[in-house]
Structure formats: C-alpha cells, structure tokens
Amino acid sequence: MKKTIFLLSFVFLTFACKKTEDPVPSPTFNYDLKLFYGTWLVTSADLGDGNYIDPNILPGYTDTKATFNADGTFSSTGLLGSLPGTYKAAGNTIVVYFGGIETYHLDIIAFTSKEIELKVSSVGSVVVNFKVKATKQ
C-alpha cells in the first residue's frame, strides 16, 4: 500500500510540476554593435527613383543625423523626424521605436565602421520607403 501511494505521488508530481523551458535566445545583430554606436550624418538619399541626392537640398531636411547610444536610446533630426526614441538591433535590421511604438525598420545594405547604407521603411498606415548613405561623425 505504501509503495502504491509513493508511486502515485511520484507520478503526480512528475506530471503536475511545470517544467521550465530554456528561454528563446534573442536574435543577434550580424555586425559589431559597438561600431554602430554614435552619430551618423546622412550624406545622400534615394527617395525611390534609384538616384542618390544630397538631402540638404530638400526643404526642412538639412543636417539629417541619427544617434544610436549603447543603452538602446536613439535620437534623430531631418528625414527621420526629431523625436527621441529607442531601438533594437537583430540580424541585418535596426527597429526604431518612437513613444514605444515601432516606427521604422532600418535594413542594412552595407556597413563599415565609418559608412553605412540603409533601406528605411516605415511601419504603420503611412508608408515611407527610401535609402540613405551616412558617415560616422
């Protein structure tokens, strides 16, 4: 009788206890994130026609910059707006959040410690797609 109670208790505890699963690893950034930190000045923009132009000739878009900090915060001026935000980097993409809302995907086309080329896509009802080239300041 004691063996039966012990066996039933063991079976009950084995199946009743919730197993903890290994956490799903977060996707890693395909580049050295430390090289990405800092301020990037946009030197040219392709607004969809395949031709890169100087963004400073566009009204209201002079001095387009983006700053990515090691703590995950982000700030920008010019083409991306002038709001502080946050970002997450995974794979070949940087996702930018303004006010906690996913706003832009920045897909890396080319990246070195001094230059970057990005495809910028908006998320949401307003669709924005363009490419930029930038140099590290």
Side-chain angles (χ1 to χ4, degrees):
M1 179 74 170
K2 286 183 181 181
K3 286 184 180 180
T4 303
I5 292 173
F6 175 76
L7 184 59
L8 287 173
S9 298
F10 177 76
V11 170
F12 175 77
L13 289 174
T14 300
F15 291 105
C17 294
K18 183 177 180 180
K19 293 181 182 179
T20 58
E21 296 182 19
D22 293 333
V24 177
S26 61
T28 57
F29 191 48
N30 292 341
Y31 302 91
D32 184 350
L33 199 53
K34 291 177 186 171
L35 296 177
F36 185 68
Y37 301 148
T39 299
W40 295 85
L41 175 66
V42 174
T43 56
S44 60
D46 170 2
L47 302 179
D49 63 0
N51 296 311
Y52 279 89
I53 62 168
D54 180 352
N56 291 314
I57 66 170
L58 302 170
Y61 295 117
T62 59
D63 202 32
T64 296
K65 293 181 183 178
T67 301
F68 297 88
N69 300 306
D71 65 358
T73 58
F74 167 86
S75 61
S76 66
T77 59
L79 287 170
L80 294 176
S82 297
L83 299 171
T86 59
Y87 72 93
K88 292 182 183 176
N92 290 333
T93 302
I94 298 103
V95 180
V96 176
Y97 301 83
F98 289 122
I101 298 170
E102 186 174 337
T103 309
Y104 290 108
H105 286 193
L106 311 177
D107 296 314
I108 296 174
I109 298 168
F111 177 65
T112 69
S113 63
K114 303 275 186 214
E115 298 178 323
I116 193 166
E117 183 177 6
L118 301 166
K119 177 183 176 220
V120 180
S121 304
S122 63
V123 177
S125 59
V126 178
V127 177
V128 175
N129 291 300
F130 57 93
K131 294 179 185 176
V132 295
K133 292 180 181 178
T135 57
K136 186 102 173 251
Q137 299 297 289

